[in-house]
Amino acid sequence: MQIIVNGEDLTVSEGIKLIDLLLKKDLNPEKVVVELNLNVIPFSEFEVVMLKDGDKVEILNFVGGG
Amino acid sequence: MDDYLEIGNEKLSSRLFTGSGKYHDDSIIPDVLKSSGSQVITVALRRVDLNAETNVMNHIPKETVLLPNTSGARNAEEAVRIARLARSAGCGDWIKIEVIPDNRYLMPDGHETVKATEILAKEGFVVLPYVNADLIIAKQLESAGAAAVMPLGSAIGSNRGFRTEEIVRIIIEDVNLPIIVDAGIGKPSDAVRAMEMGAAACLVNTAIAVADDPVLMGKAFGNAVKAGREGFLAGPGAQKLNASASSPLTGFLDE
């Protein structure tokens, strides 16, 4: 199925969980924040939320700033 | 002397807030925090960079109060969206609202900042809004539930110093919140001036990060903020137009 991650198209398997997507991208789930279809997904739900075709995911982290 | 700055649930002994951007090497950030005594550091929120070797958070000691900013937001709605994401990281409730529609001067949109403040204050955020030095906007932020007001000293990253003194003085006088001069502070003497007039704190990023010796510059700024604050608390004497001798003008030798 097709999802959009940080503005880019990505093909993933059906039923993939959010945490699987993060691990697939070599990301540490404890160091990112996630928005799914404009909703903030708390860390506690990363293992629970299942992605669907057409989902828009934003994965962000803190960087240097003033 | 007990002179804590109380914001949200924090009781801060340092009145210098520092930024984490623009360092040649992020690994000196903990050394800067140590040399400066700063207990609050700002960060930004961006899409993950899969090529990035390390994360700035690896260099921020866990006892540091984190102040994420909403940089990137061009209106209140975007600021609120970024703030909620930042909070979901679980590093606290503080948020610096930065709503900047202009890329050349990086000037903040005061109206949108007030709107975002109202929404986020109601959601329990500790809101520190970054704005231009404007008394009316500052008073609106106070009514909207801000925990402080952060008027700019001059344009972000410009090192042009504390140029908004005239209005900041009025804001300090008339708004009953900590006033934190943020942006453009270029030298320790700028921070001294801000603190001497009664500012609650200063936020410095560029001036420290781009100095030849950021750790030493951090120390200088830490001292400057303390000196200015103590000068303010000590109650300086009035200025005079005439001279006023330090010793009696009588009893000289050979009168």
Side-chain angles (χ1 to χ4, degrees):
Chain A
M1 62 180 193
Q2 286 284 111
I3 59 173
I4 301 172
V5 179
N6 287 359
E8 308 229 329
D9 290 331
L10 189 68
T11 305
V12 294
S13 19
E14 297 278 338
I16 188 174
K17 297 256 174 58
L18 182 52
I19 190 140
D20 299 319
L21 173 66
L22 298 176
L23 296 172
K24 182 183 157 82
K25 292 251 164 223
D26 271 327
L27 294 168
N28 181 343
E30 292 188 342
K31 299 238 163 118
V32 299
V33 294
V34 177
E35 190 194 67
L36 172 59
N37 301 326
L38 299 178
N39 294 314
V40 177
I41 307 297
F43 175 75
S44 57
E45 289 181 25
F46 286 1
E47 290 192 349
V48 170
V49 167
M50 199 179 317
L51 300 175
K52 299 184 311 299
D53 189 48
D55 274 347
K56 279 184 73 171
V57 187
E58 292 283 341
I59 308 171
L60 306 104
N61 62 2
F62 288 134
V63 301
Chain B
M1 158 169 63
D2 276 353
D3 175 41
Y4 296 108
L5 171 57
E6 295 194 40
I7 295 185
N9 285 332
E10 299 290 342
K11 228 168 126 171
L12 302 164
S13 50
S14 166
R15 291 170 178 272
L16 175 64
F17 292 10
T18 44
S20 59
K22 290 175 158 165
Y23 280 94
H24 179 66
D25 180 355
D26 283 356
S27 66
I28 61 163
I29 289 173
D31 299 322
V32 169
L33 287 169
K34 189 147 173 261
S35 67
S36 68
S38 175
Q39 298 167 291
V40 179
I41 195 163
T42 51
V43 290
L45 198 65
R46 293 288 184 274
R47 282 174 167 173
V48 292
D49 173 4
L50 296 168
N51 297 323
E53 302 219 323
T54 178
N55 187 314
V56 76
M57 295 304 289
N58 295 338
H59 303 291
I60 297 177
K62 58 177 162 39
E63 61 272 14
T64 319
V65 175
L66 205 68
L67 179 54
N69 67 37
T70 66
S71 67
R74 286 153 305 173
N75 56 44
E77 191 184 327
E78 289 178 3
V80 168
R81 184 178 168 200
I82 295 170
R84 289 171 179 158
L85 275 163
R87 184 158 69 169
S88 75
C91 300
D93 289 344
W94 284 38
I95 191 77
K96 168 177 165 175
I97 302 183
E98 226 182 272
V99 179
I100 294 175
D102 138 62
N103 274 345
R104 181 166 179 192
Y105 296 105
L106 298 180
M107 287 290 137
D109 184 327
H111 300 303
E112 293 295 302
T113 303
V114 173
K115 272 162 65 177
T117 298
E118 196 157 12
I119 295 168
L120 293 171
K122 284 203 180 84
E123 291 180 13
F125 284 84
V126 176
V127 181
L128 286 78
Y130 165 69
V131 281
N132 211 325
D134 179 320
L135 176 65
I136 304 308
I137 296 279
K139 284 168 97 76
Q140 289 171 349
L141 289 167
E142 186 179 16
S143 303
V149 175
M150 306 215 288
L152 58 92
S154 57
I156 289 171
S158 70
N159 283 345
R160 282 174 76 74
F162 183 29
R163 301 215 181 207
T164 51
E165 302 181 66
E166 206 42 33
I167 305 301
V168 169
R169 181 180 295 122
I170 292 170
I171 295 173
I172 288 170
E173 172 82 28
D174 216 39
V175 174
N176 197 17
L177 283 177
I179 305 303
I180 301 171
V181 178
D182 172 19
I185 291 174
K187 293 191 282 213
S189 52
D190 300 323
V192 174
R193 278 195 356 262
M195 298 308 293
E196 267 173 354
M197 72 164 53
C202 290
L203 203 166
V204 180
N205 186 356
T206 299
I208 295 174
V210 308
D212 289 343
D213 184 344
V215 176
L216 185 56
M217 189 58 88
K219 183 173 181 219
F221 270 102
N223 287 338
V225 166
K226 270 188 72 197
R229 179 64 180 173
E230 286 169 348
F232 169 74
L233 292 173
Q239 278 187 13
K240 288 172 130 112
L241 287 175
N242 303 332
S244 168
S246 307
S247 310
L249 290 171
T250 52
F252 294 110
L253 179 68
D254 213 49
E255 255 188 300

